[in-house]
Amino acid sequence: MEHVIIIGSGPAGFTAAIYAARANLKPVLVASSVETGGELMNTTDVENYPGFPEGIMGPDLMARMQQQAERFGTEVLYDDATSLDLTGPVKKVTLGSGKTLEAHSLIYATGSAPRKIGIEGETRLSGYGVSYCATCDGFFFRDKTIAVVGGGDSAMEEATFLTKFASKVYVIHRREELRASKIMQERAFANEKIEFLWNSEVADILGEDAVSAVVLRNTIDGEEREVALDGVFVAIGNDPRVHLVHGQLELTPEGTVHVDGRSSRTNVPGVFAAGDVIDPTYRQAVTAAGTGTVAALDVEHYLASLGDAGAPDPEEAAIDGLPEVE
Ligand code: NAP
């Protein structure tokens, strides 16, 4: 029986692991069988994470977080949680490998997944010119004409990044004002390769085996027109990954996991949540890391309330080869 299982390997999951490991709780972190590190694995320079004045690449930051969590005794499993049983005092996690884990407590930090436009051409041509990750797929669009859909920070970041490869980048936004922060807007406005198509929504994405054009609908007068291009990057936000807890944890009207005030406590005792999966508003790496800290501290209090059952074994407390931790 584990003290705590953490589901998710983004900034929230790894920060929770660092704190829980330093409290000698020997956390087991389920990191995914596909990619460890969460959303920051799909980004380039992270310029706003404190402590890195020159910026740091997203994947490098996540690798450092993982090293820090492992240094204090976190066990990282490269596997997927496929179902959870959160009822009762013992929390059960079934993994893709078929193995089942059991713990006194669980931290749910599964983050969020890219939102889809929800049109036929998008699904059909996904991977054939439709992408949700500029850093993953930008390379394939050297000297091509592409579009980024969205008006937030992600769209500006992707559009600016994609100008390294593409000859032209349209930004398709449904309004005539961006949601992105001022610095990201200014960077995109100053880039000669970027052209903004305002008040436009993507009605369809065309192409036989690969994207050849988009059909844009004007959001003011409804008029439609075709724009020829080779690729479409969708950056219209993210939705919290709550599929594993549907029917088990209370959700908010925004679809995130409901937590009690500024704590990480869900409506189920012993189950805590952190990161983008609880946050419909701020969704920054540093805020996710902060809520990961909250979750680990809440777990400590919860386990202490269980008495001997949840307490870390003093025999296990000294982690081999490590300096004393405070
Ligand atoms: P976001 O801020 O929610 O922006 C989503 C954008 O997509 C909005 O412009 C929205 O339009 C548009 N949109 C939403 N649904 C749409 C639909 N169905 N069809 C067409 N357009 C649609 O999401 P985000 O850009 O992914 O950013 C999420 C969070 O991460 C934010 O807090 C952001 O600051 C942060 N972030 C920060 C950085 C950075 O600091 N370097 C980088 C990336 C993300 P409306 O504006 O009309 O609603």
Side-chain angles (χ1 to χ4, degrees), residues 125 128-130 141 143-149 166-172 195 197 202 204-208 210-216 225-233:
L125 293 165
Y128 299 92
V130 175
F141 295 89
D143 299 325
K144 306 271 189 200
T145 298
I146 57 179
V148 173
V149 186
S167 52
K168 179 166 190 81
V169 178
Y170 292 112
V171 171
I172 300 169
E195 183 183 337
L197 303 177
V202 181
D204 206 354
I205 303 175
L206 307 178
E208 284 289 316
V211 170
S212 61
V214 287
V215 179
L216 296 188
R225 66 174 170 134
E226 247 179 69
V227 177
L229 42 68
D230 308 294
V232 178
F233 287 79

Side-chain angles (χ1 to χ4, degrees), residues 190-303:
N191 193 313
E192 286 178 356
K193 284 189 180 177
I194 297 178
E195 183 183 337
F196 286 83
L197 303 177
W198 302 107
N199 298 316
S200 301
E201 62 188 10
V202 181
D204 206 354
I205 303 175
L206 307 178
E208 284 289 316
D209 306 323
V211 170
S212 61
V214 287
V215 179
L216 296 188
R217 185 184 302 123
N218 188 295
T219 51
I220 294 171
D221 59 19
E223 206 169 290
E224 293 194 355
R225 66 174 170 134
E226 247 179 69
V227 177
L229 42 68
D230 308 294
V232 178
F233 287 79
V234 181
I236 59 173
N238 288 57
D239 291 315
R241 279 200 194 87
V242 290
H243 59 287
L244 289 172
V245 295
H246 261 302
Q248 299 200 73
L249 295 185
E250 190 185 322
L251 303 182
T252 65
E254 289 96 351
T256 51
V257 173
H258 173 80
V259 291
D260 182 12
R262 295 185 63 199
S263 82
S264 66
R265 289 187 299 273
T266 70
N267 62 312
V268 174
V271 179
F272 304 84
D276 280 6
V277 82
I278 65 165
D279 181 3
T281 312
Y282 301 106
R283 305 182 2 85
Q284 304 295 305
V286 69
T287 50
T291 57
T293 303
V294 169
L297 297 176
D298 286 343
V299 161
E300 268 194 81
H301 289 136
Y302 174 77
L303 294 176

